[in-house]
Amino acid sequence: MTAPAVTTGLADLRERWFAALREELPGALELRRSIHADPCLSGQEEPTARLVEEAMGVALERVAGTGRVGRLGPVQGPSVLLRGELDALPLHEATGAAYASRTGHMHACGHDVHLAALVAVVRAAARLDLPVGLVPLLQPREETYPSGAQDAVASGALQRYAVAAAVGAHVHPGVAPGHVATGAGVVNAAADEIEVVLRGRGGHGAYPHHAADPVAAISHVVLGLPELMRRTVSPMRPSVLSVGHLQAGQPSANVLPAEARLLATLRTTDPDDRVQIQEAVRVFAARQAEAFGLEAQVTVTSGEPVLVNDPAVVERMDAWLGRSGLVAAEPMRSLGADDFSFFGEVVPSVMAFVGVTVDGHDAPPPLHHPEFLPTDEAVGHVAGALVCGYLAAAELVAEGLLPVPSELAHEAHPSIGAVEEWSG
Ligand SMILES: [Zn+2]
């Protein structure tokens, strides 16, 4: 009868952890203000990493450039990774808050909240007897490429710290305050960038029959892409291909250009769909080009893999949320992308979306908006969600339901930003 004993032990741990959290929260709110007032852009997070490491009071090692990682609790055996992102955005803050950034950069994605919450969780945990290791990871470069999560995974940190599961919590304006949306299965998409260049022969607009200009052809490609998606990917599996940039020629009415270019973002939720639609775009662009006497060059730049929440961890986490005064909300699924998915490729993981309120807004502004500033209670809610994620994973570890970390297969995938070119 090990299972009830485990749960009883963890229930007791949960109570003591939340009590310790309440004591740590005032300090965490101060820290959140400091981080928010002085944001660092992707790849330049050293000052933030140093500040957070000091506040955490745990010895951490460097990872993925400016990142940090360490371990609390038992030094041997499996552990649970909790992630906080370090970077801010190149955005002018318009919140009017007393601690608003004046640097022209802004924590508009809630990473200041996540870091403060993680510090509170770790400081509280340091006073407790943890049954399995807790691995705080301060991750750089979530907002840009190359991905900090991918670099952290590539560094072997997950194997080194015997990570058995990874948990992330992200504030979300679409979730009600006090609610936490987990959701088994796909919660974010895989993201790739596709560039199509069509090349021909320029000329005079009055003599198009002497030229081979790509304007009409690239228009056909743009209009054909949704149909290509429809006949390649099952409508039962969410996916989208959006053209965000289209360019041909100079601003001249009578000069036919020799080259046209489009950039599109591809979002898929199934690895096979991802490969097949990329191939379909290559063939489609090449055939269109051929029909118009042009040449096509298609370049695919790989981004984040699909983000999949592990059903077993989700189920346990929802139960722990319920026991902790948080509401396990409906899943928050979208074709957005988060590089947290790189952890999920190696170990069972959960990304939880935590509801927030923003002062002065009935409906909070979206993430990456110059007025997105969650109220203080978000720090406690994110901390609570991280603790519940840890407890869920620890429970599964205790019951022998998570794979032994040393047996983890390090799955090979195209590295983010890997470019595959194809001409035809
Ligand atoms: Zn974010």
Side-chain angles (χ1 to χ4, degrees):
M1 299 298 282
T2 53
V6 166
T7 311
T8 311
L10 289 178
D12 187 46
L13 175 69
R14 190 202 70 76
E15 255 175 51
R16 282 182 289 129
W17 206 337
F18 272 79
L21 263 185
R22 277 189 287 278
E23 289 169 28
E24 293 296 341
L25 273 177
L29 296 181
E30 280 305 304
L31 176 68
R32 187 261 174 129
R33 283 167 163 65
S34 302
I35 297 168
H36 189 90
D38 200 9
C40 299
L41 289 180
S42 311
Q44 302 163 26
E45 303 97 335
E46 186 57 31
T48 302
R50 215 176 297 142
L51 182 70
V52 173
E53 180 178 18
E54 210 177 282
M56 220 172 238
V58 176
L60 304 175
E61 65 158 326
R62 275 174 179 280
V63 71
T66 59
R68 300 286 195 281
V69 64
R71 178 173 171 136
L72 289 82
V75 289
Q76 296 278 318
S79 70
V80 181
L81 182 148
L82 304 182
R83 176 186 82 157
E85 317 93 310
L86 289 163
D87 53 344
L89 292 154
L91 191 76
H92 275 279
E93 179 159 357
T95 63
Y99 58 97
S101 159
R102 290 178 182 85
T103 64
H105 310 146
M106 181 188 173
H107 274 292
C109 198
H111 297 181
D112 53 334
V113 173
H114 308 162
L115 290 171
L118 183 55
V119 166
V121 167
V122 168
R123 287 181 62 93
R127 311 193 210 161
L128 307 168
D129 237 345
L130 298 178
V132 304
L134 188 164
V135 173
L137 181 102
L138 312 181
Q139 185 208 304
R141 286 176 280 109
E142 191 278 324
E143 302 285 3
T144 58
Y145 297 162
S147 149
Q150 187 177 28
D151 284 352
V153 170
S155 78
L158 271 60
Q159 282 81 358
R160 217 159 48 247
Y161 288 92
V163 173
V167 179
H170 203 298
V171 291
H172 202 295
V175 179
H179 292 227
V180 178
T182 55
V186 173
V187 291
N188 270 181
D192 301 309
E193 202 172 286
I194 297 184
E195 179 194 46
V196 177
V197 179
L198 300 187
R199 292 195 182 91
R201 206 168 58 251
H204 194 299
Y207 310 96
H209 51 298
H210 293 318
D213 79 277
V215 173
I218 199 115
S219 307
H220 278 262
V221 173
V222 171
L223 292 174
L225 289 176
E227 178 60 12
L228 193 66
M229 287 294 277
R230 192 180 71 84
R231 51 182 64 219
T232 307
V233 177
S234 162
M236 302 308 288
R237 292 193 296 274
S239 60
V240 75
L241 181 53
S242 292
V243 176
H245 175 83
L246 181 60
Q247 193 269 325
Q250 300 302 317
S252 164
N254 59 6
V255 178
L256 300 179
E259 191 175 297
R261 175 176 182 254
L262 72 78
L263 289 173
T265 184
L266 171 65
R267 306 297 170 111
T268 50
T269 51
D270 176 273
D272 291 335
D273 290 343
R274 190 181 186 185
V275 172
Q276 274 168 28
I277 190 66
Q278 288 177 7
E279 183 56 24
V281 171
R282 283 188 184 106
V283 172
F284 180 62
R287 300 283 200 275
Q288 287 292 324
E290 196 184 359
F292 287 93
L294 307 165
E295 278 185 1
Q297 182 187 319
V298 177
T299 307
V300 177
T301 306
S302 318
E304 299 85 347
V306 60
L307 176 50
V308 183
N309 279 349
D310 183 82
V313 186
V314 162
E315 194 192 338
R316 304 292 178 114
M317 185 169 169
D318 283 355
W320 285 109
L321 289 168
R323 292 173 198 131
S324 308
L326 291 161
V327 180
E330 283 296 302
M332 188 73 218
R333 304 185 200 280
S334 81
L335 295 185
D338 189 305
D339 69 354
F340 184 77
S341 55
F342 281 106
F343 300 116
E345 282 201 323
V346 186
V347 293
S349 72
V350 171
M351 167 59 83
F353 299 104
V354 180
V356 294
T357 37
V358 174
D359 280 340
H361 296 264
D362 291 337
L367 295 168
H368 296 202
H369 188 281
E371 289 172 36
F372 182 76
L373 187 73
T375 53
D376 282 348
E377 64 177 355
V379 175
H381 290 160
V382 169
L386 290 172
V387 169
C388 289
Y390 170 94
L391 292 168
E395 192 175 17
L396 291 167
V397 165
E399 292 174 25
L401 294 175
L402 284 183
V404 181
S406 61
E407 290 168 6
L408 291 176
H410 190 126
E411 203 178 310
H413 51 72
S415 78
I416 210 166
V419 176
E420 214 184 314
E421 255 187 52
W422 185 90
S423 294

